[in-house]
Amino acid sequence: MTREKTFLWYLNHADGTVPWQPEYRVPPSLDHLRGVAAEIDRLGYYGVLCTAREPIALVSATRALRFLIPEYPGVKPPALMAEQAQVFDHYSDGRLIINQVNGADPVLARYGRFEGKDERYRVSAEYWATVRAMYGDDTAAVDGDYFRAGPQYKPAIAGPRQHRLPIWGTGASPAGLAHAAEVLDVYLSFLAQPDALAKTFDAARAAAAAAGRDLPCGVLASVIVRDTDDEAWAHFEWQLARTDPVEMARLADRNLRSFGFGGLDEITSDDPQVQARIDALRAGRLPGRAELEFAPGLASGLTTWTSGEPPFDIAGKGSGNYLIGSPRTVAATIERLSEQVGADHWILSGWPLAAEARRFAEQVIPLLSRELAPR
């Protein structure tokens, strides 16, 4: 039986044919973002992972699109976060989803948060419990381990209110899995080797089951769809050919150090294919398809999910992994992976954002309700 799936798209200021290269980027503007949001809404996507700075300004350009908005727990006071969520739902008719981001030390230090990784999960659990209570108009004072607040003496913000503020997120360490079981409504992971991804999702579902909960899972991936497999791979290689290898090596070194892996000249991998990617960057060139395609129709590539990830997957985080192929190939890959790993949601990106979203919606999604066996 085909597993039911929902599809979300990515929405970010960085757009264009090769958005990680400034010369191929569309000049960022609110009008451009509103146009992309309206097109994604028209195409019928469930929502967008929106990393734009002003998501509430995009609501009026859409009618049904949900907005999955990243938030670092603790950066905003719980009362402010709850009020902002209420306002967003008031204007959007209840279309807000929180993307809980655990964050990295250098990023959070910029916002004045200095907890270690495991403690951040404890902070997050208390934070979102407090935010959810305030979002539901609980007026009691708060006296927790990490957050304190006086009674919430204020008029309730009128408008639609969700029964429970939905929170999606990640976390694969033991502390992260315990946090997921307690806090999250959907567990997310970047696309990875299918066996490894299945193991991650199984661990998240087991932690939730031990807490008496079900936990749907979702995959984040990029996608290139063209009429044939060869055309899709040609576009993937076209983007690589327009990418500056020296800049990618610099970014890889900076980002690896920020995550505590050591620099590009220090990192090694037991996976020969991943080591070949590292060697290529060290030598001042970009890895090619042989070093990037890790399974049929799946490859490590470049993305703008976050500026904090190393270019390509050289640290085992999977943030730039792609689905590549014809509509039939990509649909079959999604169907197979959804069953193999138990994925209920797919959050996808591709560039230019609106054009690739249109290809996927019009050419791939209709195939997912049909027989996908090769002809």
Side-chain angles (χ1 to χ4, degrees):
M1 188 170 114
T2 299
R3 193 180 192 96
E4 208 169 308
K5 293 170 280 295
T6 60
F7 292 96
L8 295 83
W9 202 254
Y10 183 53
L11 186 58
N12 180 263
H13 285 291
D15 196 6
T17 53
V18 192
W20 47 88
Q21 287 294 131
E23 62 270 32
Y24 293 98
R25 206 175 288 157
V26 175
S29 71
L30 181 57
D31 283 347
H32 178 73
L33 281 171
R34 285 174 60 83
V36 175
E39 177 66 355
I40 295 170
D41 186 46
R42 183 192 69 79
L43 292 166
Y45 283 89
Y46 181 82
V48 284
L49 171 55
C50 182
T51 60
R53 290 291 184 183
E54 58 293 300
I56 199 165
L58 307 177
V59 165
S60 62
T62 65
R63 296 194 304 170
L65 200 66
R66 293 164 179 82
F67 288 81
L68 177 61
I69 299 175
E71 294 285 354
Y72 297 108
V75 168
K76 298 174 184 175
L80 176 60
M81 181 71 249
E83 289 168 8
Q84 289 182 337
Q86 289 175 337
V87 169
F88 196 100
D89 273 341
H90 172 72
Y91 286 114
S92 70
D93 196 22
R95 291 189 271 141
L96 173 65
I97 306 171
I98 299 294
N99 176 203
Q100 192 281 141
V101 183
N102 195 42
D105 293 348
V107 175
L108 288 169
R110 185 173 66 190
Y111 297 112
R113 305 295 307 194
F114 298 96
E115 296 90 358
K117 185 175 180 180
D118 284 357
E119 188 178 13
R120 288 203 294 270
Y121 285 119
R122 295 191 290 272
V123 169
S124 178
E126 183 178 305
Y127 181 77
W128 292 117
T130 305
V131 169
R132 277 173 161 151
M134 292 177 171
Y135 172 87
D137 291 324
D138 187 334
T139 61
V142 174
D143 186 14
D145 293 332
Y146 299 101
F147 300 99
R148 297 181 64 200
Q152 303 298 294
Y153 294 128
K154 67 174 186 61
I157 296 173
R161 190 71 47 79
Q162 300 181 74
H163 173 69
R164 171 184 167 90
L165 183 63
I167 300 174
W168 298 13
T170 63
S173 67
L177 292 170
H179 170 270
E182 180 180 356
V183 175
L184 301 182
D185 297 297
V186 173
Y187 181 85
L188 301 174
S189 177
F190 286 115
L191 176 65
Q193 289 278 1
D195 289 347
L197 186 57
K199 186 179 293 187
T200 298
F201 283 171
D202 285 346
R205 284 187 286 259
R213 301 181 60 224
D214 292 325
L215 188 60
C217 294
V219 178
L220 296 94
S222 297
V223 61
I224 294 175
V225 178
R226 294 297 182 270
D227 291 342
T228 68
D229 289 348
D230 287 345
E231 289 177 85
W233 281 104
H235 185 71
F236 178 76
E237 291 173 322
W238 180 89
Q239 289 181 318
L240 287 178
R242 281 147 186 82
T243 300
D244 181 353
V246 175
E247 178 64 6
M248 290 304 109
R250 186 190 70 80
L251 289 174
D253 185 74
R254 183 198 71 181
N255 297 339
L256 286 166
R257 291 180 189 280
S258 75
F259 277 97
F261 289 105
L264 183 61
D265 58 343
E266 302 169 61
I267 190 172
T268 60
S269 174
D270 294 333
D271 183 331
Q273 192 179 45
V274 175
Q275 185 61 49
R277 298 171 196 165
I278 296 169
D279 293 341
L281 288 171
R282 284 177 182 162
R285 66 175 181 85
L286 295 177
R289 177 175 173 177
E291 296 146 324
L292 297 174
E293 186 178 10
F294 60 87
L298 302 176
S300 173
L302 295 162
T303 183
T304 64
W305 287 113
T306 168
S307 61
E309 298 288 354
F312 306 109
D313 188 14
I314 57 176
K317 298 180 74 64
S319 61
N321 288 345
Y322 274 73
L323 303 151
I324 301 173
S326 69
R328 196 169 184 81
T329 294
V330 171
T333 302
I334 288 174
E335 200 68 67
R336 183 180 69 252
L337 287 175
S338 293
E339 295 302 321
Q340 182 177 350
V341 308
D344 307 284
H345 304 278
W346 287 83
I347 305 174
L348 301 172
S349 63
W351 293 274
L353 288 166
E356 203 67 40
R358 191 178 310 116
R359 288 178 189 273
F360 186 85
E362 295 176 352
Q363 298 180 28
V364 178
I365 290 178
L367 294 176
L368 291 168
S369 60
R370 302 176 189 168
E371 178 57 50
L372 293 173
R375 290 178 179 171

